[in-house]
Amino acid sequence: QTNRLSWSQPLYLGDGWWQSIVVDQEGRAHVTWYGSITNQNTNTEHDVMWYAAREPDGTWTGSNDVVYTGEGGYTVRNALAVTSDGILHAVFRAGTSHLSASAPARAAQQANLWRPPVHLNNNGYYLDLTKDRNDILHFVYSGGVGALNRGEKVAQAESSACALCNDLFYRRSTDGGQSWSAEIPLSFEPDSGSDRMDIFEGSSGRLYVVWDEGNDWYKGSGSPRDVRVVYSDDAGLTWSDPIILDGEGRPDLHPIQIAAAEMLDGSLIAVWRYASDADRNIYYQISDDLGQSWTKPEAVPGIVARAINDTPLDDYELLVDRQGTVSLFAAGQPSLGRNTNAALYQVQYREGLWLPPQRIFYSPEARPEWPKVALGPQNDIHLTFFTRGIREGQTEYTSATANLKVYYTYLPGIFPARVVAFRPTPTPLPTATPIQNFEPTATPFVLQAPIDRPVVPTTTDVYAAQTLLGGMFAAGLACAAVLVIYRFIRRQ
């Protein structure tokens, strides 16, 4: 397909970062991301989830803020799914909580059509969402309040290396997000965090969750251990034990940044990198027995990972198309030693061979990050990513002052469209109720020019400050826990 067709010129959607994408059964691509709006009357910065859609005919709705999540620069992580009744579902971070909301897929750019959010959990960071072939919604997230909420494990707070780290949890909804099951811990260890989780359904109907285990970036605690996979054959009611990929157990190198996919023959493919610049290869492994055994890690040829200090928050994506071709989307370089910015690449895997990487985006002034991808009904591929601007004269980004911009690009398909009409909804959506009496609109305030302006205010949740302050917060809670335990013992 890549030999005959090429990617479109990247389209700038708006200022922001941490975008997500989904394509509905009518061929409409939905993109959401975290941005902000400044009320010039009060000089207040509002955190919002932005939205734009590419219609099946290739036209765009334009960017619009559809959900207000609060103030203070708290990162609005988000993920999307579309059910067969034509409803777009979103899970997103508001402050430090996770919420879910929905809107008609054909008119999701209208803020007043979004249903009132449902609260899912407190104190979370990473999240992901998918829907299965039966329209059950599946939600995974890193959350919890650490060891202080773990009963008998409270006594480990003083000695635990990751006492307050977030763990991996799962919830499901069978009624379109109106209610959710109780949380199920998929990883719940007192001295380890869970980061960068993804959930997806394979062509077999099996559900998979993959994640990084060990480090909790947000809390600034823990250290990388390995990457893991669990699966469910009953739509999320029960889950397998974790399948661990440890990079052949090297004591000095530990895998991070996993992405995985189920190939059309039912085998699994996973990619990851090490959490060190001592080895910057991007490795892949394959299992044809549902994770019981794996091939030895081999490097994906023609590309090496970006330097580990470029960003600890990047991600890889794997996509399997209708022809069975696997595409890896990754920011990296063609080789080591080149004094250039990372570029965004697509690397295809066919019949046991990796094809030469195809460069999708490169700029000497910005670095691509967080590729997210969705497959359309014509075997077309919809890709989004964001970039961090680099200030003149600097070789490294400055996160608190860098320009953050969201882009979209498109690879046409060669298959006849498999467009399926939405199943009619039994009842119309109710009118949305604004959160905290704030109702986003297309232009709620007089906006500053979006070009050359950082979208994220310098607060406790900004990229640069978040590591320091998150670590200080975790340390403070740990000290508080120890103090409470000490006082309790003295009273005994």
Side-chain angles (χ1 to χ4, degrees), residues 135-166:
D135 281 342
I136 300 174
L137 297 172
H138 305 274
F139 170 53
V140 290
Y141 62 96
S142 60
V145 294
L148 293 179
N149 200 30
R150 296 180 186 177
E152 71 280 1
K153 297 179 181 179
V154 170
Q156 300 179 19
E158 184 175 8
S159 61
S160 174
C162 209
L164 302 175
C165 290
N166 286 320

Side-chain angles (χ1 to χ4, degrees), residues 120 139 141 169-173 179-185 236:
L120 296 174
F139 170 53
Y141 62 96
F169 295 94
Y170 163 82
R171 300 181 73 174
R172 70 200 292 268
S173 174
S179 62
W180 294 81
S181 68
E183 59 187 20
I184 298 174

Side-chain angles (χ1 to χ4, degrees), residues 199-347:
I199 186 168
F200 61 93
E201 182 187 38
S203 58
S204 65
R206 182 176 293 117
L207 285 174
Y208 299 91
V209 178
V210 300
W211 74 97
D212 296 1
E213 183 67 23
N215 186 53
D216 183 335
W217 177 87
Y218 186 69
K219 294 295 178 64
S221 189
S223 59
R225 287 186 175 182
D226 49 55
V227 292
R228 303 187 178 189
V229 183
V230 293
Y231 63 87
S232 173
D233 283 319
D234 54 13
L237 294 176
T238 60
W239 291 88
S240 70
D241 292 332
I243 301 164
I244 297 175
L245 299 176
D246 62 2
E248 296 194 300
R250 298 176 61 175
D252 56 332
L253 294 174
H254 301 277
I256 59 169
Q257 205 168 316
I258 185 175
E262 183 188 86
M263 295 188 283
L264 295 189
D265 64 358
S267 57
L268 293 176
I269 182 170
V271 298
W272 45 266
R273 64 163 297 175
Y274 284 117
S276 170
D277 285 341
D279 185 342
R280 283 174 52 184
N281 287 306
I282 300 174
Y283 287 96
Y284 76 99
Q285 294 181 260
I286 293 175
S287 173
D288 59 9
D289 55 10
L290 202 53
Q292 295 183 51
S293 62
W294 294 83
T295 59
K296 286 185 174 295
E298 294 186 59
V300 177
I303 185 174
V304 294
R306 63 196 306 168
I308 195 66
N309 288 329
D310 274 1
T311 172
L313 297 172
D314 201 3
D315 205 9
Y316 296 141
E317 278 275 88
L318 283 177
L319 176 75
V320 180
D321 68 19
R322 289 171 58 190
Q323 293 176 302
T325 299
V326 180
S327 289
L328 164 65
F329 297 91
Q333 298 172 220
S335 63
L336 296 175
R338 296 195 177 194
N339 189 23
T340 58
N341 292 339
L344 182 61
Y345 291 92
Q346 177 193 24
V347 195

Side-chain angles (χ1 to χ4, degrees), residues 84-99:
S84 64
D85 55 1
I87 302 300
L88 175 67
H89 301 270
V91 290
F92 53 90
R93 188 168 177 258
T96 59
S97 298
H98 289 151
L99 310 178

